[in-house]
Amino acid sequence: MKKYFLISAIIIICQQVVAQEDLAIIHGPYLQNLSSDEVTIVWVTNKEAVSWVELAPDDSTHFYLIERRKFYSAKNGVKLQGRVHSVKLNNLKTATKYRYRVVSQEIIDRQGNFITYGRQVSTTAYRPATFITLDPTKKSVAFTMVNDIHGRSDVLEQMLKLAEPTKQDLVLFNGDMVSSMKSEEDFFNGFMDVGVKTFAQNIPMYYCRGNHETRGVFATMFQDYFSPKSPELYYLVRQGPVCFVVLDCGEDKPDTDVEYYGITDYDYYRTIEAEWLREAIKDKRYTEAPFKVIVCHMPPFRDWHGEAEILEKFVPILNDAKADVMLCGHLHHTSKHEANAAVKFPVLINSNNSYLKGSVEGNKLTLDIYDLDGKRTEGLTVVH
């Protein structure tokens, strides 16, 4: 009985400490799924709140000149209450720069329809974050790719310092940014806080899920944080002369393997994804793009089951669609594989200790891989 009262007292004390803690934004904000006419903005608070984004054009007016347009975290017309906030901004103008700030307001009490609101917190309006919507007509593009960080935030910070993502159009996170999706803090401490600090409030990041993000008790919550307003984790992105096809590779071993404890269904998932891909390559974002870049964490080889599935289910479609190159990670070493009879486009694999920089100028796509000293170690060029 004494033990019961002691536990109850501890719980009450902990609840009181949490209740006394001030509302705060603890992670983010960061951009997701930026396109030519919409973007999703994600951030996390330490306590449950309702949230919104205030949007302003990037003109000479002060952010506080007028009340700015608000986009709420809502579903079916009802504002959502929670810690992870994702707000989709739509009907934006193409190739246009916007300013934004995010705001959250605590709900202290809720009795039926009567709600008691508490403190508001926000990012700054004096130097607000910005983004530029994508431009399919842009003549050039520059981007950076990193992968297989496995929670080594210090390594990622070093890579991003060298890669200078704020000078790029976009950044690709090509999978295995953590070793397992165990908790929210694991992936924010492991890589995403560094991404936010370095570029992700202002420069779009597109996340290609790797096989390690499919593991852990938090794996099913992946889409709460990345591509939260998208129907799937695979999608097309068109910026300037490049259409990026971001694929979701799934796991690398058979679904029946003992390591998955009977919880995976990736063979069927990849079959459904292949059906989507067959239709996606008919999209004008793809068909009209001078360059077609495929982003997939695992390469299309026959070494492991997941790789063989990619080779069998995705590659024939991409061969017919005349893909220019596939960018991969997964193997923890850098290598280049020329086009052959089975895979009719080159495959460039970036290691876990290097970063890739890509650019298009005129009729040339240049892809270069650099080590942690900034030395070029591999690359290829595609000319049309």
Side-chain angles (χ1 to χ4, degrees), residues 18-58:
V18 171
Q20 292 170 1
E21 185 180 20
D22 288 337
L23 180 68
I25 297 171
I26 56 174
H27 301 295
Y30 53 94
L31 307 175
Q32 285 289 278
N33 302 107
L34 178 69
S35 71
S36 60
D37 61 358
E38 64 184 33
V39 67
T40 297
I41 299 174
V42 182
W43 70 100
V44 181
T45 51
N46 61 334
K47 304 170 73 173
E48 290 201 349
V50 293
S51 293
W52 62 91
V53 174
E54 296 175 354
L55 185 70
D58 187 49

Side-chain angles (χ1 to χ4, degrees), residues 56-275:
D58 187 49
D59 54 22
S60 59
T61 64
H62 197 281
F63 203 93
Y64 283 134
L65 174 66
I66 59 174
E67 183 177 356
R68 300 301 182 176
R69 183 181 177 188
K70 294 182 175 66
F71 294 79
Y72 288 93
S73 174
K75 184 176 182 179
N76 300 326
V78 179
K79 297 176 186 177
L80 298 175
Q81 177 183 349
R83 290 184 53 254
V84 183
H85 314 283
S86 56
V87 179
K88 189 173 185 176
L89 286 58
N90 50 23
N91 298 319
L92 306 178
K93 295 180 180 179
T94 300
T96 301
K97 189 173 184 178
Y98 291 92
R99 298 173 290 166
Y100 75 92
R101 73 168 176 174
V102 304
V103 185
S104 294
Q105 185 169 25
E106 183 180 2
I107 292 180
I108 296 176
D109 187 40
R110 190 166 193 159
Q111 300 292 332
N113 294 327
F114 183 77
I115 299 174
T116 303
Y117 290 95
R119 181 186 178 195
Q120 290 186 9
V121 293
S122 70
T123 53
T124 180
Y126 294 98
R127 295 184 63 185
T130 64
F131 63 84
I132 302 174
T133 50
L134 302 187
D135 181 5
T137 67
K138 195 169 181 277
K139 300 302 182 183
S140 62
V141 66
F143 61 94
T144 292
M145 186 185 87
V146 296
N147 50 270
D148 296 278
I149 297 301
H150 288 281
R152 299 172 299 149
S153 60
D154 55 335
V155 174
L156 177 62
E157 190 163 17
Q158 184 178 355
M159 288 180 183
L160 294 178
K161 183 177 180 180
L162 293 166
E164 299 181 300
T166 56
K167 297 180 181 179
Q168 315 291 315
D169 290 275
L170 58 96
V171 175
L172 300 168
F173 280 1
N174 198 356
D176 287 7
M177 300 299 289
V178 290
S179 295
S180 181
M181 295 287 288
K182 295 178 181 178
S183 71
E184 179 180 276
E185 290 306 313
D186 279 345
F187 59 82
F188 276 111
N189 292 340
F191 69 93
M192 199 58 222
D193 282 344
V194 169
V196 171
K197 181 179 73 173
T198 307
F199 72 91
Q201 290 191 53
N202 308 293
I203 303 295
M205 176 272 290
Y206 301 92
Y207 203 143
C208 177
R209 188 174 67 155
N211 58 301
H212 276 270
E213 282 92 352
T214 68
R215 304 174 187 177
V217 295
F218 230 67
T220 56
M221 300 179 188
F222 180 89
Q223 202 170 8
D224 292 348
Y225 301 86
F226 306 107
S227 297
K229 299 297 184 181
S230 296
E232 308 292 349
L233 295 177
Y234 39 84
Y235 48 87
L236 303 181
V237 177
R238 174 73 189 273
Q239 172 66 329
V242 177
C243 181
F244 297 90
V245 181
V246 179
L247 298 176
D248 187 3
C249 65
E251 266 290 6
D252 55 4
K253 294 175 280 295
D255 287 330
T256 55
D257 190 85
V258 66
E259 290 195 28
Y260 301 147
Y261 302 96
I263 204 169
T264 56
D265 189 25
Y266 283 108
D267 284 3
Y268 180 68
Y269 179 75
R270 283 184 287 254
T271 297
I272 297 301
E273 186 174 356
E275 293 175 3

Side-chain angles (χ1 to χ4, degrees), residues 295-308:
V295 185
C296 186
H297 175 71
M298 293 194 304
F301 299 155
R302 291 195 182 278
D303 296 336
W304 287 53
H305 177 74
E307 297 173 9

